[in-house]
Amino acid sequence: MSNEPSASAGTSAPTVADPASLSFEQARDELVRVVAELEQGAPTLEQSLTLWERGEALAARCEEWLLGAKRRLDSARSRVENEEDER
């Protein structure tokens, strides 16, 4: 049901992890590799599309992590401000 490419779909990685299972750093590092591979030019249109789709999924995962981090920071700031107001 996933739109992820398989290893046989043209990517150079032997296995392709579900982006939802990746840490921010893993997703970011793989995204850098995907972009570099796209910039070099894939041999076929299908491989280019597969890389593009993978890049989109990885970018979305990175954004999820960043938004989650922002929510945590906002929550921590709010708690600190509430504690200061109670003093």
Side-chain angles (χ1 to χ4, degrees):
M1 179 153 345
S2 168
N3 287 337
E4 294 173 38
S6 66
S8 62
T11 60
S12 58
T15 60
V16 179
D18 178 8
S21 70
L22 300 177
S23 70
F24 172 79
E25 292 78 7
Q26 290 169 322
R28 179 202 59 211
D29 292 348
E30 186 179 343
L31 181 56
V32 168
R33 287 189 296 272
V34 166
V35 169
E37 199 168 337
L38 279 168
E39 287 175 342
Q40 292 174 3
T44 67
L45 177 59
E46 184 61 36
Q47 289 171 330
S48 293
L49 290 171
T50 298
L51 286 168
W52 182 270
E53 291 168 346
R54 181 67 176 172
E56 288 289 329
L58 293 164
R61 180 61 174 154
C62 288
E63 186 173 15
E64 286 176 26
W65 274 106
L66 293 172
L67 290 173
K70 183 183 182 315
R71 283 191 295 271
R72 287 176 63 187
L73 288 171
D74 290 345
S75 177
R77 284 186 190 131
S78 179
R79 279 194 309 271
V80 168
E81 289 172 1
N82 288 340
E83 289 172 4
E84 288 175 353
D85 288 344
E86 290 176 2
R87 291 182 194 171

